[in-house]
Amino acid sequence: MKNSVYLVIGGGRGQLRLIRRMKERGIKVVLQDRNPLCAAAPYADEFIAADTRNASAAADAAVRYRVDTVLTAGTDQPVLTAAKAASARGCPFFLSETTARTVTDKEVMKTALASAGLPVPRFRFASSNDGIEILRGLKPPYVVKPVDSQGQRGVLRVDSAECFTAARDEALEWSLRKRIIVEEYHSNREITVSGWVHRGSVRIWSVTDRVTKDFHAHIGICMAHRYPSAYASGRREETKHLVESCTAALGVEEGPIYYQFLVTNEGILVNETAARLGGAFEDESLPPICGVDLLDILIDGAANGSADPDNPAFAVPVNSFAFAVPLMFCGTGAIASLGSKHTVRGLPGVSAFDYLLPIGSVVGTVKNSVQRAAYMVVHGPNTAAVNRTLKKAIRRMKVLNPNGENLLRNTLSYTLNPK
């Protein structure tokens, strides 16, 4: 694979370790991101300053640099960009353009899932000229989302029909297609399934609790991932059947999957589906519990459009049976200084920790997941060991304002596993 040329769509923190691994393996990286100062930019051999949803720029780069394959990780919409670029170049990719659109556009996605008889919240689609009549037949409260966005941007809870048009307009600001989906809101606990598909067969790597918090109308902001899942306890076969049914309905034959399900009193509902590695640092949290190196399987699989997860070349030791990934946010204010990373990283079981917002950042009201201030990955032999480390770590994290006050929210209650 040395001397291969890969086009990577997206160069943020979610792609940083992937690109570093590619450079270690002697792969030339052509990186497309709208931000020339993105985290992975220093590791790129060539940089394309274009939005990750700009498929024409990606296609031009794929042809111009004669790339061997295209890939992304940890982010939804660039999956379609990558598929289009690979098609233009005529190189391998896990998904066809049709399947890539199905897993990235909620209008196509939800239609496919509902047509296959899968349990989804009742929904409608709307544009700027649709008023409250679109809500007819749906029970309040409602959830409004752009059909083609990510990172909880423009995801809002609407408690009454009178509030619909304002929420519609806010959600539409985040949609390139200027389309939204309106769904019935269900009180729930959310779980996430990560896995791999090879020749249509699904391998489930993990089922985690996706612990969320609502910030006024902005709902579903992920505060932590926890493994093993407490929410899915006793529902293994139900979850497995749903994962396999979703994969078939979406037409995914190869590559990574990342599904979000809602555990409700009425059963498990499909919230969203994606064909990518997760965006909550799964490349760091999953290998010690699933025994597969997620970065290597993605890199090798991209080159061929396929990879066998049982291939010993991807195997790593299973040495952990529980983990937690706190995704931390701040209160409002300016960041003047940060605490020592080493005091946190030195704790037993801490596999990774970093601050995500630089000094000088001004933090506003939380509206989506891109406002994360820090993250940590903690592994352990059981949930009790992970919980002990979390309690120690939270006291060592500091994001200070000019007055020396810690802006970091104490979200320990969201992170501790109750099992």
PDB file of all heavy atoms in Angstrom, residues 146-177:
ATOM      1  N   PRO A 146     -32.954  18.990   9.587  1.00  0.00           N
ATOM      2  CA  PRO A 146     -32.591  19.070   8.165  1.00  0.00           C
ATOM      3  C   PRO A 146     -32.406  17.644   7.633  1.00  0.00           C
ATOM      4  O   PRO A 146     -31.945  16.763   8.367  1.00  0.00           O
ATOM      5  CB  PRO A 146     -31.251  19.821   8.174  1.00  0.00           C
ATOM      6  CG  PRO A 146     -31.110  20.381   9.553  1.00  0.00           C
ATOM      7  CD  PRO A 146     -31.893  19.506  10.465  1.00  0.00           C
ATOM      8  N   VAL A 147     -32.733  17.425   6.379  1.00  0.00           N
ATOM      9  CA  VAL A 147     -32.583  16.068   5.833  1.00  0.00           C
ATOM     10  C   VAL A 147     -31.136  15.744   5.497  1.00  0.00           C
ATOM     11  O   VAL A 147     -30.791  14.570   5.324  1.00  0.00           O
ATOM     12  CB  VAL A 147     -33.456  15.858   4.567  1.00  0.00           C
ATOM     13  CG1 VAL A 147     -34.929  16.041   4.882  1.00  0.00           C
ATOM     14  CG2 VAL A 147     -33.011  16.753   3.417  1.00  0.00           C
ATOM     15  N   ASP A 148     -30.281  16.764   5.424  1.00  0.00           N
ATOM     16  CA  ASP A 148     -28.921  16.535   4.931  1.00  0.00           C
ATOM     17  C   ASP A 148     -27.886  17.310   5.737  1.00  0.00           C
ATOM     18  O   ASP A 148     -27.003  17.955   5.181  1.00  0.00           O
ATOM     19  CB  ASP A 148     -28.827  16.912   3.450  1.00  0.00           C
ATOM     20  CG  ASP A 148     -29.308  18.331   3.175  1.00  0.00           C
ATOM     21  OD1 ASP A 148     -29.864  18.975   4.084  1.00  0.00           O
ATOM     22  OD2 ASP A 148     -29.132  18.800   2.037  1.00  0.00           O
ATOM     23  N   SER A 149     -27.980  17.215   7.055  1.00  0.00           N
ATOM     24  CA  SER A 149     -27.001  17.869   7.910  1.00  0.00           C
ATOM     25  C   SER A 149     -26.417  16.833   8.862  1.00  0.00           C
ATOM     26  O   SER A 149     -26.642  15.634   8.708  1.00  0.00           O
ATOM     27  CB  SER A 149     -27.635  19.037   8.673  1.00  0.00           C
ATOM     28  OG  SER A 149     -26.656  19.793   9.352  1.00  0.00           O
ATOM     29  N   GLN A 150     -25.669  17.295   9.881  1.00  0.00           N
ATOM     30  CA  GLN A 150     -24.978  16.374  10.786  1.00  0.00           C
ATOM     31  C   GLN A 150     -24.614  17.105  12.062  1.00  0.00           C
ATOM     32  O   GLN A 150     -24.719  18.335  12.148  1.00  0.00           O
ATOM     33  CB  GLN A 150     -23.711  15.832  10.127  1.00  0.00           C
ATOM     34  CG  GLN A 150     -22.737  16.922   9.715  1.00  0.00           C
ATOM     35  CD  GLN A 150     -21.674  16.436   8.738  1.00  0.00           C
ATOM     36  OE1 GLN A 150     -21.850  15.462   8.031  1.00  0.00           O
ATOM     37  NE2 GLN A 150     -20.556  17.146   8.699  1.00  0.00           N
ATOM     38  N   GLY A 151     -24.147  16.352  13.068  1.00  0.00           N
ATOM     39  CA  GLY A 151     -23.690  16.963  14.310  1.00  0.00           C
ATOM     40  C   GLY A 151     -24.769  17.675  15.094  1.00  0.00           C
ATOM     41  O   GLY A 151     -24.489  18.626  15.818  1.00  0.00           O
ATOM     42  N   GLN A 152     -26.036  17.228  14.956  1.00  0.00           N
ATOM     43  CA  GLN A 152     -27.190  17.817  15.648  1.00  0.00           C
ATOM     44  C   GLN A 152     -27.460  19.258  15.228  1.00  0.00           C
ATOM     45  O   GLN A 152     -28.207  19.968  15.905  1.00  0.00           O
ATOM     46  CB  GLN A 152     -27.005  17.755  17.172  1.00  0.00           C
ATOM     47  CG  GLN A 152     -26.903  16.341  17.731  1.00  0.00           C
ATOM     48  CD  GLN A 152     -28.103  15.475  17.410  1.00  0.00           C
ATOM     49  OE1 GLN A 152     -28.011  14.483  16.711  1.00  0.00           O
ATOM     50  NE2 GLN A 152     -29.248  15.851  17.925  1.00  0.00           N
ATOM     51  N   ARG A 153     -26.904  19.690  14.114  1.00  0.00           N
ATOM     52  CA  ARG A 153     -27.177  21.045  13.641  1.00  0.00           C
ATOM     53  C   ARG A 153     -28.623  21.143  13.164  1.00  0.00           C
ATOM     54  O   ARG A 153     -29.065  20.362  12.333  1.00  0.00           O
ATOM     55  CB  ARG A 153     -26.242  21.411  12.488  1.00  0.00           C
ATOM     56  CG  ARG A 153     -24.758  21.481  12.856  1.00  0.00           C
ATOM     57  CD  ARG A 153     -23.930  21.695  11.608  1.00  0.00           C
ATOM     58  NE  ARG A 153     -22.498  21.833  11.858  1.00  0.00           N
ATOM     59  CZ  ARG A 153     -21.649  20.815  11.896  1.00  0.00           C
ATOM     60  NH1 ARG A 153     -22.093  19.579  11.722  1.00  0.00           N
ATOM     61  NH2 ARG A 153     -20.368  21.018  12.112  1.00  0.00           N
ATOM     62  N   GLY A 154     -29.338  22.105  13.722  1.00  0.00           N
ATOM     63  CA  GLY A 154     -30.705  22.340  13.291  1.00  0.00           C
ATOM     64  C   GLY A 154     -31.703  21.301  13.751  1.00  0.00           C
ATOM     65  O   GLY A 154     -32.793  21.207  13.186  1.00  0.00           O
ATOM     66  N   VAL A 155     -31.380  20.524  14.782  1.00  0.00           N
ATOM     67  CA  VAL A 155     -32.303  19.528  15.329  1.00  0.00           C
ATOM     68  C   VAL A 155     -33.037  20.157  16.506  1.00  0.00           C
ATOM     69  O   VAL A 155     -32.416  20.531  17.513  1.00  0.00           O
ATOM     70  CB  VAL A 155     -31.569  18.254  15.767  1.00  0.00           C
ATOM     71  CG1 VAL A 155     -32.550  17.239  16.353  1.00  0.00           C
ATOM     72  CG2 VAL A 155     -30.823  17.644  14.587  1.00  0.00           C
ATOM     73  N   LEU A 156     -34.356  20.266  16.398  1.00  0.00           N
ATOM     74  CA  LEU A 156     -35.137  21.023  17.367  1.00  0.00           C
ATOM     75  C   LEU A 156     -36.385  20.263  17.796  1.00  0.00           C
ATOM     76  O   LEU A 156     -37.024  19.578  16.984  1.00  0.00           O
ATOM     77  CB  LEU A 156     -35.580  22.361  16.762  1.00  0.00           C
ATOM     78  CG  LEU A 156     -34.474  23.287  16.255  1.00  0.00           C
ATOM     79  CD1 LEU A 156     -35.040  24.315  15.305  1.00  0.00           C
ATOM     80  CD2 LEU A 156     -33.792  23.966  17.426  1.00  0.00           C
ATOM     81  N   ARG A 157     -36.732  20.416  19.059  1.00  0.00           N
ATOM     82  CA  ARG A 157     -38.012  19.914  19.553  1.00  0.00           C
ATOM     83  C   ARG A 157     -39.038  21.037  19.427  1.00  0.00           C
ATOM     84  O   ARG A 157     -38.775  22.189  19.808  1.00  0.00           O
ATOM     85  CB  ARG A 157     -37.899  19.455  21.005  1.00  0.00           C
ATOM     86  CG  ARG A 157     -39.248  19.107  21.627  1.00  0.00           C
ATOM     87  CD  ARG A 157     -39.111  18.482  22.978  1.00  0.00           C
ATOM     88  NE  ARG A 157     -40.399  18.476  23.676  1.00  0.00           N
ATOM     89  CZ  ARG A 157     -40.726  17.632  24.647  1.00  0.00           C
ATOM     90  NH1 ARG A 157     -39.845  16.718  25.050  1.00  0.00           N
ATOM     91  NH2 ARG A 157     -41.902  17.696  25.239  1.00  0.00           N
ATOM     92  N   VAL A 158     -40.207  20.697  18.926  1.00  0.00           N
ATOM     93  CA  VAL A 158     -41.300  21.658  18.740  1.00  0.00           C
ATOM     94  C   VAL A 158     -42.493  21.153  19.540  1.00  0.00           C
ATOM     95  O   VAL A 158     -43.048  20.092  19.231  1.00  0.00           O
ATOM     96  CB  VAL A 158     -41.671  21.808  17.255  1.00  0.00           C
ATOM     97  CG1 VAL A 158     -42.778  22.833  17.083  1.00  0.00           C
ATOM     98  CG2 VAL A 158     -40.458  22.186  16.434  1.00  0.00           C
ATOM     99  N   ASP A 159     -42.893  21.892  20.558  1.00  0.00           N
ATOM    100  CA  ASP A 159     -43.942  21.407  21.455  1.00  0.00           C
ATOM    101  C   ASP A 159     -45.350  21.657  20.954  1.00  0.00           C
ATOM    102  O   ASP A 159     -46.293  20.997  21.402  1.00  0.00           O
ATOM    103  CB  ASP A 159     -43.773  22.038  22.837  1.00  0.00           C
ATOM    104  CG  ASP A 159     -42.557  21.480  23.571  1.00  0.00           C
ATOM    105  OD1 ASP A 159     -42.343  20.253  23.494  1.00  0.00           O
ATOM    106  OD2 ASP A 159     -41.818  22.258  24.187  1.00  0.00           O
ATOM    107  N   SER A 160     -45.516  22.606  20.045  1.00  0.00           N
ATOM    108  CA  SER A 160     -46.863  22.897  19.547  1.00  0.00           C
ATOM    109  C   SER A 160     -46.801  23.374  18.105  1.00  0.00           C
ATOM    110  O   SER A 160     -45.747  23.823  17.628  1.00  0.00           O
ATOM    111  CB  SER A 160     -47.532  23.975  20.406  1.00  0.00           C
ATOM    112  OG  SER A 160     -46.849  25.216  20.262  1.00  0.00           O
ATOM    113  N   ALA A 161     -47.912  23.285  17.422  1.00  0.00           N
ATOM    114  CA  ALA A 161     -47.985  23.694  16.021  1.00  0.00           C
ATOM    115  C   ALA A 161     -47.647  25.172  15.850  1.00  0.00           C
ATOM    116  O   ALA A 161     -47.084  25.578  14.825  1.00  0.00           O
ATOM    117  CB  ALA A 161     -49.378  23.401  15.467  1.00  0.00           C
ATOM    118  N   GLU A 162     -47.960  25.981  16.860  1.00  0.00           N
ATOM    119  CA  GLU A 162     -47.713  27.416  16.772  1.00  0.00           C
ATOM    120  C   GLU A 162     -46.222  27.734  16.661  1.00  0.00           C
ATOM    121  O   GLU A 162     -45.846  28.794  16.133  1.00  0.00           O
ATOM    122  CB  GLU A 162     -48.300  28.133  17.997  1.00  0.00           C
ATOM    123  CG  GLU A 162     -49.826  28.170  18.042  1.00  0.00           C
ATOM    124  CD  GLU A 162     -50.446  26.825  18.400  1.00  0.00           C
ATOM    125  OE1 GLU A 162     -49.738  25.972  18.971  1.00  0.00           O
ATOM    126  OE2 GLU A 162     -51.647  26.644  18.097  1.00  0.00           O
ATOM    127  N   CYS A 163     -45.383  26.844  17.153  1.00  0.00           N
ATOM    128  CA  CYS A 163     -43.935  27.075  17.127  1.00  0.00           C
ATOM    129  C   CYS A 163     -43.266  26.461  15.899  1.00  0.00           C
ATOM    130  O   CYS A 163     -42.034  26.574  15.744  1.00  0.00           O
ATOM    131  CB  CYS A 163     -43.291  26.490  18.383  1.00  0.00           C
ATOM    132  SG  CYS A 163     -43.917  27.160  19.927  1.00  0.00           S
ATOM    133  N   PHE A 164     -44.052  25.848  15.025  1.00  0.00           N
ATOM    134  CA  PHE A 164     -43.462  25.075  13.936  1.00  0.00           C
ATOM    135  C   PHE A 164     -42.694  25.920  12.940  1.00  0.00           C
ATOM    136  O   PHE A 164     -41.568  25.583  12.556  1.00  0.00           O
ATOM    137  CB  PHE A 164     -44.538  24.271  13.207  1.00  0.00           C
ATOM    138  CG  PHE A 164     -44.038  23.638  11.939  1.00  0.00           C
ATOM    139  CD1 PHE A 164     -43.107  22.601  11.968  1.00  0.00           C
ATOM    140  CD2 PHE A 164     -44.464  24.093  10.698  1.00  0.00           C
ATOM    141  CE1 PHE A 164     -42.623  22.030  10.808  1.00  0.00           C
ATOM    142  CE2 PHE A 164     -43.986  23.532   9.522  1.00  0.00           C
ATOM    143  CZ  PHE A 164     -43.063  22.499   9.581  1.00  0.00           C
ATOM    144  N   THR A 165     -43.272  27.022  12.474  1.00  0.00           N
ATOM    145  CA  THR A 165     -42.636  27.746  11.369  1.00  0.00           C
ATOM    146  C   THR A 165     -41.276  28.320  11.755  1.00  0.00           C
ATOM    147  O   THR A 165     -40.343  28.329  10.943  1.00  0.00           O
ATOM    148  CB  THR A 165     -43.553  28.879  10.861  1.00  0.00           C
ATOM    149  OG1 THR A 165     -43.940  29.716  11.962  1.00  0.00           O
ATOM    150  CG2 THR A 165     -44.799  28.306  10.202  1.00  0.00           C
ATOM    151  N   ALA A 166     -41.132  28.786  13.015  1.00  0.00           N
ATOM    152  CA  ALA A 166     -39.827  29.302  13.453  1.00  0.00           C
ATOM    153  C   ALA A 166     -38.793  28.181  13.475  1.00  0.00           C
ATOM    154  O   ALA A 166     -37.649  28.355  13.029  1.00  0.00           O
ATOM    155  CB  ALA A 166     -39.953  29.943  14.833  1.00  0.00           C
ATOM    156  N   ALA A 167     -39.179  27.019  13.973  1.00  0.00           N
ATOM    157  CA  ALA A 167     -38.266  25.875  13.995  1.00  0.00           C
ATOM    158  C   ALA A 167     -37.953  25.402  12.580  1.00  0.00           C
ATOM    159  O   ALA A 167     -36.810  25.038  12.269  1.00  0.00           O
ATOM    160  CB  ALA A 167     -38.877  24.741  14.806  1.00  0.00           C
ATOM    161  N   ARG A 168     -38.957  25.404  11.729  1.00  0.00           N
ATOM    162  CA  ARG A 168     -38.753  25.030  10.319  1.00  0.00           C
ATOM    163  C   ARG A 168     -37.683  25.896   9.686  1.00  0.00           C
ATOM    164  O   ARG A 168     -36.760  25.379   9.031  1.00  0.00           O
ATOM    165  CB  ARG A 168     -40.076  25.183   9.554  1.00  0.00           C
ATOM    166  CG  ARG A 168     -40.002  24.950   8.049  1.00  0.00           C
ATOM    167  CD  ARG A 168     -41.151  25.638   7.329  1.00  0.00           C
ATOM    168  NE  ARG A 168     -41.070  27.095   7.469  1.00  0.00           N
ATOM    169  CZ  ARG A 168     -42.067  27.927   7.184  1.00  0.00           C
ATOM    170  NH1 ARG A 168     -43.229  27.465   6.767  1.00  0.00           N
ATOM    171  NH2 ARG A 168     -41.893  29.236   7.329  1.00  0.00           N
ATOM    172  N   ASP A 169     -37.784  27.192   9.874  1.00  0.00           N
ATOM    173  CA  ASP A 169     -36.838  28.108   9.240  1.00  0.00           C
ATOM    174  C   ASP A 169     -35.429  27.934   9.797  1.00  0.00           C
ATOM    175  O   ASP A 169     -34.445  28.010   9.045  1.00  0.00           O
ATOM    176  CB  ASP A 169     -37.306  29.552   9.429  1.00  0.00           C
ATOM    177  CG  ASP A 169     -38.592  29.846   8.657  1.00  0.00           C
ATOM    178  OD1 ASP A 169     -38.949  29.053   7.762  1.00  0.00           O
ATOM    179  OD2 ASP A 169     -39.242  30.863   8.968  1.00  0.00           O
ATOM    180  N   GLU A 170     -35.303  27.686  11.109  1.00  0.00           N
ATOM    181  CA  GLU A 170     -33.974  27.474  11.692  1.00  0.00           C
ATOM    182  C   GLU A 170     -33.347  26.188  11.162  1.00  0.00           C
ATOM    183  O   GLU A 170     -32.163  26.148  10.831  1.00  0.00           O
ATOM    184  CB  GLU A 170     -34.061  27.421  13.218  1.00  0.00           C
ATOM    185  CG  GLU A 170     -32.696  27.266  13.874  1.00  0.00           C
ATOM    186  CD  GLU A 170     -32.728  27.376  15.384  1.00  0.00           C
ATOM    187  OE1 GLU A 170     -33.748  27.860  15.932  1.00  0.00           O
ATOM    188  OE2 GLU A 170     -31.724  26.997  16.036  1.00  0.00           O
ATOM    189  N   ALA A 171     -34.148  25.135  11.070  1.00  0.00           N
ATOM    190  CA  ALA A 171     -33.628  23.862  10.548  1.00  0.00           C
ATOM    191  C   ALA A 171     -33.245  23.972   9.083  1.00  0.00           C
ATOM    192  O   ALA A 171     -32.231  23.415   8.647  1.00  0.00           O
ATOM    193  CB  ALA A 171     -34.664  22.764  10.747  1.00  0.00           C
ATOM    194  N   LEU A 172     -34.025  24.709   8.304  1.00  0.00           N
ATOM    195  CA  LEU A 172     -33.745  24.848   6.875  1.00  0.00           C
ATOM    196  C   LEU A 172     -32.420  25.559   6.612  1.00  0.00           C
ATOM    197  O   LEU A 172     -31.794  25.340   5.572  1.00  0.00           O
ATOM    198  CB  LEU A 172     -34.886  25.599   6.190  1.00  0.00           C
ATOM    199  CG  LEU A 172     -36.168  24.798   5.926  1.00  0.00           C
ATOM    200  CD1 LEU A 172     -37.282  25.721   5.466  1.00  0.00           C
ATOM    201  CD2 LEU A 172     -35.922  23.699   4.894  1.00  0.00           C
ATOM    202  N   GLU A 173     -31.983  26.399   7.551  1.00  0.00           N
ATOM    203  CA  GLU A 173     -30.702  27.086   7.377  1.00  0.00           C
ATOM    204  C   GLU A 173     -29.541  26.100   7.283  1.00  0.00           C
ATOM    205  O   GLU A 173     -28.492  26.415   6.715  1.00  0.00           O
ATOM    206  CB  GLU A 173     -30.469  28.051   8.540  1.00  0.00           C
ATOM    207  CG  GLU A 173     -31.400  29.255   8.538  1.00  0.00           C
ATOM    208  CD  GLU A 173     -31.142  30.165   9.723  1.00  0.00           C
ATOM    209  OE1 GLU A 173     -30.178  29.894  10.490  1.00  0.00           O
ATOM    210  OE2 GLU A 173     -31.897  31.138   9.909  1.00  0.00           O
ATOM    211  N   TRP A 174     -29.715  24.895   7.831  1.00  0.00           N
ATOM    212  CA  TRP A 174     -28.651  23.900   7.837  1.00  0.00           C
ATOM    213  C   TRP A 174     -28.779  22.883   6.708  1.00  0.00           C
ATOM    214  O   TRP A 174     -27.971  21.950   6.618  1.00  0.00           O
ATOM    215  CB  TRP A 174     -28.633  23.163   9.181  1.00  0.00           C
ATOM    216  CG  TRP A 174     -28.269  24.048  10.324  1.00  0.00           C
ATOM    217  CD1 TRP A 174     -29.107  24.614  11.240  1.00  0.00           C
ATOM    218  CD2 TRP A 174     -26.960  24.487  10.671  1.00  0.00           C
ATOM    219  NE1 TRP A 174     -28.403  25.374  12.136  1.00  0.00           N
ATOM    220  CE2 TRP A 174     -27.077  25.315  11.816  1.00  0.00           C
ATOM    221  CE3 TRP A 174     -25.680  24.261  10.140  1.00  0.00           C
ATOM    222  CZ2 TRP A 174     -25.976  25.918  12.428  1.00  0.00           C
ATOM    223  CZ3 TRP A 174     -24.591  24.849  10.760  1.00  0.00           C
ATOM    224  CH2 TRP A 174     -24.741  25.670  11.882  1.00  0.00           C
ATOM    225  N   SER A 175     -29.755  23.047   5.851  1.00  0.00           N
ATOM    226  CA  SER A 175     -29.983  22.075   4.787  1.00  0.00           C
ATOM    227  C   SER A 175     -29.577  22.632   3.429  1.00  0.00           C
ATOM    228  O   SER A 175     -30.069  23.676   3.003  1.00  0.00           O
ATOM    229  CB  SER A 175     -31.469  21.682   4.736  1.00  0.00           C
ATOM    230  OG  SER A 175     -31.733  20.864   3.621  1.00  0.00           O
ATOM    231  N   LEU A 176     -28.706  21.926   2.737  1.00  0.00           N
ATOM    232  CA  LEU A 176     -28.354  22.319   1.373  1.00  0.00           C
ATOM    233  C   LEU A 176     -29.538  22.173   0.436  1.00  0.00           C
ATOM    234  O   LEU A 176     -29.737  22.974  -0.476  1.00  0.00           O
ATOM    235  CB  LEU A 176     -27.187  21.465   0.870  1.00  0.00           C
ATOM    236  CG  LEU A 176     -25.766  21.835   1.308  1.00  0.00           C
ATOM    237  CD1 LEU A 176     -24.762  20.868   0.704  1.00  0.00           C
ATOM    238  CD2 LEU A 176     -25.433  23.265   0.892  1.00  0.00           C
ATOM    239  N   ARG A 177     -30.322  21.122   0.634  1.00  0.00           N
ATOM    240  CA  ARG A 177     -31.479  20.863  -0.247  1.00  0.00           C
ATOM    241  C   ARG A 177     -32.706  21.658   0.171  1.00  0.00           C
ATOM    242  O   ARG A 177     -33.732  21.609  -0.510  1.00  0.00           O
ATOM    243  CB  ARG A 177     -31.818  19.374  -0.247  1.00  0.00           C
ATOM    244  CG  ARG A 177     -30.768  18.503  -0.872  1.00  0.00           C
ATOM    245  CD  ARG A 177     -31.375  17.286  -1.553  1.00  0.00           C
ATOM    246  NE  ARG A 177     -32.134  16.423  -0.673  1.00  0.00           N
ATOM    247  CZ  ARG A 177     -33.441  16.224  -0.745  1.00  0.00           C
ATOM    248  NH1 ARG A 177     -34.174  16.865  -1.636  1.00  0.00           N
ATOM    249  NH2 ARG A 177     -34.046  15.385   0.083  1.00  0.00           N
TER     250      ARG A 177
END
